[in-house]
Amino acid sequence: MKRNKWVAMLLTLVITTLVGCSSGGNGNSNQASESNPAPSESATAQNADGKFEPPVTITTARPVGGDYTFYNGEDIHNNVHNKWAKDKLGIEIKDLWNTADNDAYHTKLRLSLTTQDQLPDVFIVQDVNLIADLIQSGKVKDIGEDFDKYASERIKKVYSDNSGALNQVKKGSELLGLPIFSGGDGTNPVLWIRQDWLDKLKLKAPTTIEEFETVMDAFTNQDPDGNGIKDTFGFSLSTRNGFSNWMSDVSFIFGAYTGKFIPFHWQKADDGSLKYGSIQPEIKTGLGKLAEWYKKGYLDPEMAAIDEVKATESFIQGKSGMIAAPFWAGGSNGWPLGDVKGNNPDALLRAYVLPTGPDGKSARYTGFVNERKVMMFNKDFKHMDAFFLYMDKIYDNPFETGDFKDGFFEGYDYAIVDGKLEYDSKKFPTPNDKVASPSKYTLFWNTPAIPFQGSVDFDYIYKGGEPTKRAHNQILVADKEQIRAGALNYEMTGINAPTEFLGAPTETMRSKGENLKTMELETFAKIIYGNEPLDQFDKFVADWKSKGGDQIEKEVNEWYKSVNP
């Protein structure tokens, strides 16, 4: 239930409201939406309205789980989106098969590589190893020429502006798929603090690591909840799966000393090569700080045993006063941090920028602009012209043009009430407890986004800008603190530290990567818990390099050079 709730929140706040972009963003968005792509070499042709006659069929497959909502007796095969595609574009979309969850879906796709089962014409892949296997399989299409020939100018600009993501699906000069973009920075952390605790103890929000330490000490030792019991600590975090996380993050502690490198990510060094963040010398300083804070009782003692979501519970239950989490996680209706009011109705959450290091340095976790989600194409698929027409029309939604300027389908994800747009399904002429999910009926499983535009919109609205588009109006009805947090997320754009390695696991990663990761997690945990001295970090670095790390670095840089000739 928690995971489903997160999915719903993420779709609503990271995708729906993070995709708005004015039609003037690249100078010719309206023209791109209204113009037709070049004539196709397939057997069908487009009429004067751009519709394919006779209709072309595009097959796909997908998991259809509890996060799908249908109205009017519709299902994934027969719904308002599929009817629109056929009636408006002359494109008939057919699901060859469906599964109940993502794991089963990817298992079935993988089986298609070793059996005679035909791959769908177009399909999403989110498993990095399966992406690599499909690239090597010879069963997926090189779409490079098709992209150049059929993609609209605005689609080309979106991909040009985020061209690094294409490295995930490149093989030499071949382009063997398309990343499907999300918000870009929707899972980047801001610092959420119990403002009522700060006020009670007459403290200011921390702006530096030194001030952060002062606040943690007060939250641990000065009874911020006023119950007369020493039962609180300063900071909630999770290190079970790593030290750079989409929730309950701690990467910024290391970034405060490196200014660039964070654990588990590959970043470009001054010499232009990619280096692994976890073995950089300044990481040792960050580990030393965490060990010092753990010894003083400032940190969640369960941090190495709990995952990113479980780690939020100590904050929600009022045991800790600070946590690093996405902008949408807090506020009165944020998930999961908004639940703190269920335990203490007087709790007040406020978002702040992450504290900087002694020299003003800072860096933070940044996810993938496409969340490792790519679309691939059967090598025998003949209708790339139809696909790119369809893709451009779906992008009417984030560009707020054409058919989907106000939303996808009236009565599904929006309604007109008293002459005004309404996005709350409970206020529709025919009220519904749950808003339908027509964006999930698309071939992309959600509305594809214009990366980072959402942060720009949050900043614009927070600073008092007049709403000029749908995305602005959707932000205006959000929780005020979430709006502020979204603006802070934009303010911290300069400290984003996305990994530069976007390829498939290298040969040595596949054979030795898991052992190296385990060694890293165990060594870091032992140092923080005081079971090993800080100098054990130096031995870890030497062991990592000799047990496969140096070879991995070589392979990573060979890949990097191959996609950046």
Side-chain angles (χ1 to χ4, degrees), residues 417-443:
V417 179
D418 297 329
K420 297 181 179 180
L421 289 167
E422 179 59 65
Y423 295 97
D424 184 348
S425 62
K426 295 183 178 65
K427 298 178 181 178
F428 287 4
T430 302
N432 291 282
D433 289 335
K434 292 199 298 183
V435 67
S437 52
S439 65
K440 295 190 70 64
Y441 311 163
T442 71
L443 292 174

mmCIF file of all heavy atoms in Angstrom, residues 417-443:
data_model
loop_
_atom_site.group_PDB
_atom_site.id
_atom_site.type_symbol
_atom_site.label_atom_id
_atom_site.label_comp_id
_atom_site.label_asym_id
_atom_site.label_seq_id
_atom_site.Cartn_x
_atom_site.Cartn_y
_atom_site.Cartn_z
ATOM 1 N N VAL A 417 -15.926 22.790 -15.183
ATOM 2 C CA VAL A 417 -16.952 23.024 -14.161
ATOM 3 C C VAL A 417 -17.186 24.528 -14.063
ATOM 4 O O VAL A 417 -16.250 25.291 -13.778
ATOM 5 C CB VAL A 417 -16.523 22.453 -12.798
ATOM 6 C CG1 VAL A 417 -17.592 22.732 -11.741
ATOM 7 C CG2 VAL A 417 -16.251 20.951 -12.897
ATOM 8 N N ASP A 418 -18.413 24.932 -14.329
ATOM 9 C CA ASP A 418 -18.763 26.365 -14.314
ATOM 10 C C ASP A 418 -17.828 27.170 -15.206
ATOM 11 O O ASP A 418 -17.387 28.279 -14.863
ATOM 12 C CB ASP A 418 -18.725 26.917 -12.875
ATOM 13 C CG ASP A 418 -19.752 26.254 -11.973
ATOM 14 O OD1 ASP A 418 -20.815 25.858 -12.487
ATOM 15 O OD2 ASP A 418 -19.472 26.129 -10.766
ATOM 16 N N GLY A 419 -17.504 26.578 -16.352
ATOM 17 C CA GLY A 419 -16.683 27.275 -17.321
ATOM 18 C C GLY A 419 -15.201 27.304 -17.019
ATOM 19 O O GLY A 419 -14.432 27.938 -17.747
ATOM 20 N N LYS A 420 -14.780 26.605 -15.958
ATOM 21 C CA LYS A 420 -13.377 26.603 -15.571
ATOM 22 C C LYS A 420 -12.824 25.186 -15.549
ATOM 23 O O LYS A 420 -13.550 24.220 -15.298
ATOM 24 C CB LYS A 420 -13.196 27.257 -14.195
ATOM 25 C CG LYS A 420 -13.592 28.732 -14.150
ATOM 26 C CD LYS A 420 -13.366 29.301 -12.759
ATOM 27 C CE LYS A 420 -13.741 30.785 -12.701
ATOM 28 N NZ LYS A 420 -13.522 31.350 -11.345
ATOM 29 N N LEU A 421 -11.526 25.077 -15.780
ATOM 30 C CA LEU A 421 -10.875 23.771 -15.724
ATOM 31 C C LEU A 421 -10.820 23.263 -14.293
ATOM 32 O O LEU A 421 -10.519 24.016 -13.367
ATOM 33 C CB LEU A 421 -9.458 23.871 -16.282
ATOM 34 C CG LEU A 421 -9.341 24.072 -17.797
ATOM 35 C CD1 LEU A 421 -7.928 24.466 -18.182
ATOM 36 C CD2 LEU A 421 -9.748 22.798 -18.524
ATOM 37 N N GLU A 422 -11.107 21.995 -14.121
ATOM 38 C CA GLU A 422 -11.085 21.372 -12.801
ATOM 39 C C GLU A 422 -10.313 20.063 -12.893
ATOM 40 O O GLU A 422 -10.566 19.236 -13.774
ATOM 41 C CB GLU A 422 -12.511 21.099 -12.303
ATOM 42 C CG GLU A 422 -12.592 20.437 -10.940
ATOM 43 C CD GLU A 422 -11.924 21.249 -9.852
ATOM 44 O OE1 GLU A 422 -12.407 22.366 -9.571
ATOM 45 O OE2 GLU A 422 -10.896 20.761 -9.314
ATOM 46 N N TYR A 423 -9.335 19.886 -11.977
ATOM 47 C CA TYR A 423 -8.514 18.682 -11.992
ATOM 48 C C TYR A 423 -8.769 17.776 -10.792
ATOM 49 O O TYR A 423 -8.179 16.702 -10.694
ATOM 50 C CB TYR A 423 -7.027 19.066 -12.063
ATOM 51 C CG TYR A 423 -6.685 19.764 -13.353
ATOM 52 C CD1 TYR A 423 -6.639 21.158 -13.428
ATOM 53 C CD2 TYR A 423 -6.437 19.040 -14.513
ATOM 54 C CE1 TYR A 423 -6.354 21.804 -14.615
ATOM 55 C CE2 TYR A 423 -6.141 19.683 -15.709
ATOM 56 C CZ TYR A 423 -6.107 21.068 -15.754
ATOM 57 O OH TYR A 423 -5.823 21.694 -16.948
ATOM 58 N N ASP A 424 -9.640 18.186 -9.894
ATOM 59 C CA ASP A 424 -10.024 17.373 -8.736
ATOM 60 C C ASP A 424 -11.206 16.507 -9.149
ATOM 61 O O ASP A 424 -12.314 17.006 -9.361
ATOM 62 C CB ASP A 424 -10.389 18.267 -7.558
ATOM 63 C CG ASP A 424 -10.710 17.472 -6.296
ATOM 64 O OD1 ASP A 424 -10.876 16.235 -6.381
ATOM 65 O OD2 ASP A 424 -10.798 18.091 -5.217
ATOM 66 N N SER A 425 -10.982 15.180 -9.277
ATOM 67 C CA SER A 425 -12.023 14.288 -9.784
ATOM 68 C C SER A 425 -13.267 14.270 -8.904
ATOM 69 O O SER A 425 -14.358 13.936 -9.371
ATOM 70 C CB SER A 425 -11.471 12.860 -9.934
ATOM 71 O OG SER A 425 -11.066 12.340 -8.677
ATOM 72 N N LYS A 426 -13.111 14.628 -7.634
ATOM 73 C CA LYS A 426 -14.278 14.658 -6.745
ATOM 74 C C LYS A 426 -15.218 15.817 -7.096
ATOM 75 O O LYS A 426 -16.370 15.831 -6.668
ATOM 76 C CB LYS A 426 -13.825 14.776 -5.286
ATOM 77 C CG LYS A 426 -13.038 13.571 -4.777
ATOM 78 C CD LYS A 426 -12.698 13.745 -3.295
ATOM 79 C CE LYS A 426 -11.946 12.533 -2.745
ATOM 80 N NZ LYS A 426 -10.638 12.364 -3.364
ATOM 81 N N LYS A 427 -14.726 16.773 -7.873
ATOM 82 C CA LYS A 427 -15.538 17.933 -8.252
ATOM 83 C C LYS A 427 -16.014 17.851 -9.697
ATOM 84 O O LYS A 427 -16.595 18.805 -10.207
ATOM 85 C CB LYS A 427 -14.731 19.220 -8.032
ATOM 86 C CG LYS A 427 -14.337 19.451 -6.576
ATOM 87 C CD LYS A 427 -13.496 20.712 -6.419
ATOM 88 C CE LYS A 427 -13.073 20.926 -4.970
ATOM 89 N NZ LYS A 427 -12.214 22.128 -4.809
ATOM 90 N N PHE A 428 -15.764 16.723 -10.351
ATOM 91 C CA PHE A 428 -16.234 16.553 -11.722
ATOM 92 C C PHE A 428 -17.761 16.502 -11.744
ATOM 93 O O PHE A 428 -18.390 16.171 -10.731
ATOM 94 C CB PHE A 428 -15.688 15.252 -12.319
ATOM 95 C CG PHE A 428 -14.220 15.290 -12.672
ATOM 96 C CD1 PHE A 428 -13.437 16.383 -12.384
ATOM 97 C CD2 PHE A 428 -13.626 14.206 -13.301
ATOM 98 C CE1 PHE A 428 -12.082 16.414 -12.698
ATOM 99 C CE2 PHE A 428 -12.291 14.209 -13.629
ATOM 100 C CZ PHE A 428 -11.516 15.325 -13.327
ATOM 101 N N PRO A 429 -18.383 16.813 -12.878
ATOM 102 C CA PRO A 429 -19.842 16.668 -12.989
ATOM 103 C C PRO A 429 -20.330 15.288 -12.563
ATOM 104 O O PRO A 429 -21.382 15.147 -11.956
ATOM 105 C CB PRO A 429 -20.102 16.935 -14.480
ATOM 106 C CG PRO A 429 -18.998 17.859 -14.880
ATOM 107 C CD PRO A 429 -17.796 17.394 -14.100
ATOM 108 N N THR A 430 -19.538 14.271 -12.910
ATOM 109 C CA THR A 430 -19.777 12.921 -12.382
ATOM 110 C C THR A 430 -18.608 12.617 -11.462
ATOM 111 O O THR A 430 -17.544 12.184 -11.909
ATOM 112 C CB THR A 430 -19.852 11.881 -13.515
ATOM 113 O OG1 THR A 430 -20.881 12.250 -14.423
ATOM 114 C CG2 THR A 430 -20.139 10.495 -12.935
ATOM 115 N N PRO A 431 -18.765 12.883 -10.154
ATOM 116 C CA PRO A 431 -17.620 12.773 -9.232
ATOM 117 C C PRO A 431 -17.061 11.353 -9.164
ATOM 118 O O PRO A 431 -17.784 10.361 -9.286
ATOM 119 C CB PRO A 431 -18.237 13.188 -7.882
ATOM 120 C CG PRO A 431 -19.475 13.940 -8.226
ATOM 121 C CD PRO A 431 -19.995 13.304 -9.480
ATOM 122 N N ASN A 432 -15.751 11.264 -8.983
ATOM 123 C CA ASN A 432 -15.067 9.987 -8.808
ATOM 124 C C ASN A 432 -14.062 10.120 -7.681
ATOM 125 O O ASN A 432 -13.404 11.160 -7.548
ATOM 126 C CB ASN A 432 -14.329 9.585 -10.089
ATOM 127 C CG ASN A 432 -15.274 9.216 -11.214
ATOM 128 O OD1 ASN A 432 -15.820 8.132 -11.231
ATOM 129 N ND2 ASN A 432 -15.475 10.136 -12.152
ATOM 130 N N ASP A 433 -13.961 9.078 -6.868
ATOM 131 C CA ASP A 433 -12.998 9.103 -5.773
ATOM 132 C C ASP A 433 -11.568 9.093 -6.295
ATOM 133 O O ASP A 433 -10.664 9.628 -5.669
ATOM 134 C CB ASP A 433 -13.212 7.899 -4.841
ATOM 135 C CG ASP A 433 -14.489 8.025 -4.019
ATOM 136 O OD1 ASP A 433 -14.941 9.166 -3.807
ATOM 137 O OD2 ASP A 433 -15.038 6.985 -3.620
ATOM 138 N N LYS A 434 -11.379 8.448 -7.452
ATOM 139 C CA LYS A 434 -10.035 8.376 -8.018
ATOM 140 C C LYS A 434 -10.064 8.922 -9.435
ATOM 141 O O LYS A 434 -10.945 8.592 -10.227
ATOM 142 C CB LYS A 434 -9.522 6.926 -8.032
ATOM 143 C CG LYS A 434 -9.248 6.346 -6.660
ATOM 144 C CD LYS A 434 -8.337 5.139 -6.739
ATOM 145 C CE LYS A 434 -8.940 4.012 -7.539
ATOM 146 N NZ LYS A 434 -8.052 2.816 -7.531
ATOM 147 N N VAL A 435 -9.078 9.764 -9.748
ATOM 148 C CA VAL A 435 -8.977 10.287 -11.098
ATOM 149 C C VAL A 435 -8.502 9.172 -12.024
ATOM 150 O O VAL A 435 -7.687 8.319 -11.646
ATOM 151 C CB VAL A 435 -8.012 11.487 -11.143
ATOM 152 C CG1 VAL A 435 -6.584 11.064 -10.845
ATOM 153 C CG2 VAL A 435 -8.098 12.199 -12.484
ATOM 154 N N ALA A 436 -9.073 9.130 -13.219
ATOM 155 C CA ALA A 436 -8.636 8.126 -14.181
ATOM 156 C C ALA A 436 -7.198 8.401 -14.589
ATOM 157 O O ALA A 436 -6.669 9.494 -14.379
ATOM 158 C CB ALA A 436 -9.553 8.140 -15.412
ATOM 159 N N SER A 437 -6.571 7.404 -15.180
ATOM 160 C CA SER A 437 -5.147 7.542 -15.514
ATOM 161 C C SER A 437 -4.911 7.394 -17.007
ATOM 162 O O SER A 437 -4.212 6.484 -17.434
ATOM 163 C CB SER A 437 -4.333 6.498 -14.739
ATOM 164 O OG SER A 437 -4.881 5.200 -14.929
ATOM 165 N N PRO A 438 -5.494 8.270 -17.846
ATOM 166 C CA PRO A 438 -5.316 8.110 -19.296
ATOM 167 C C PRO A 438 -3.873 8.237 -19.750
ATOM 168 O O PRO A 438 -3.510 7.682 -20.789
ATOM 169 C CB PRO A 438 -6.194 9.214 -19.893
ATOM 170 C CG PRO A 438 -6.351 10.219 -18.802
ATOM 171 C CD PRO A 438 -6.359 9.420 -17.524
ATOM 172 N N SER A 439 -3.033 8.946 -18.985
ATOM 173 C CA SER A 439 -1.622 9.016 -19.374
ATOM 174 C C SER A 439 -0.979 7.639 -19.319
ATOM 175 O O SER A 439 -0.040 7.350 -20.065
ATOM 176 C CB SER A 439 -0.861 9.984 -18.463
ATOM 177 O OG SER A 439 -0.826 9.517 -17.129
ATOM 178 N N LYS A 440 -1.496 6.768 -18.469
ATOM 179 C CA LYS A 440 -0.936 5.425 -18.358
ATOM 180 C C LYS A 440 -1.415 4.510 -19.484
ATOM 181 O O LYS A 440 -0.833 3.454 -19.719
ATOM 182 C CB LYS A 440 -1.286 4.808 -16.998
ATOM 183 C CG LYS A 440 -0.664 5.544 -15.828
ATOM 184 C CD LYS A 440 -0.819 4.792 -14.520
ATOM 185 C CE LYS A 440 0.032 3.544 -14.482
ATOM 186 N NZ LYS A 440 1.474 3.836 -14.536
ATOM 187 N N TYR A 441 -2.463 4.917 -20.190
ATOM 188 C CA TYR A 441 -2.919 4.111 -21.318
ATOM 189 C C TYR A 441 -2.011 4.284 -22.529
ATOM 190 O O TYR A 441 -2.084 3.514 -23.473
ATOM 191 C CB TYR A 441 -4.340 4.505 -21.736
ATOM 192 C CG TYR A 441 -5.387 4.603 -20.652
ATOM 193 C CD1 TYR A 441 -6.584 5.283 -20.890
ATOM 194 C CD2 TYR A 441 -5.208 4.035 -19.391
ATOM 195 C CE1 TYR A 441 -7.567 5.391 -19.915
ATOM 196 C CE2 TYR A 441 -6.179 4.145 -18.403
ATOM 197 C CZ TYR A 441 -7.361 4.835 -18.672
ATOM 198 O OH TYR A 441 -8.334 4.949 -17.699
ATOM 199 N N THR A 442 -1.168 5.311 -22.513
ATOM 200 C CA THR A 442 -0.314 5.596 -23.666
ATOM 201 C C THR A 442 0.777 4.540 -23.810
ATOM 202 O O THR A 442 1.038 3.753 -22.886
ATOM 203 C CB THR A 442 0.355 6.976 -23.537
ATOM 204 O OG1 THR A 442 1.357 6.920 -22.514
ATOM 205 C CG2 THR A 442 -0.666 8.056 -23.202
ATOM 206 N N LEU A 443 1.427 4.570 -24.948
ATOM 207 C CA LEU A 443 2.535 3.639 -25.185
ATOM 208 C C LEU A 443 3.696 3.875 -24.233
ATOM 209 O O LEU A 443 4.559 3.008 -24.068
ATOM 210 C CB LEU A 443 3.027 3.776 -26.630
ATOM 211 C CG LEU A 443 2.070 3.307 -27.734
ATOM 212 C CD1 LEU A 443 2.650 3.658 -29.102
ATOM 213 C CD2 LEU A 443 1.801 1.808 -27.635
#
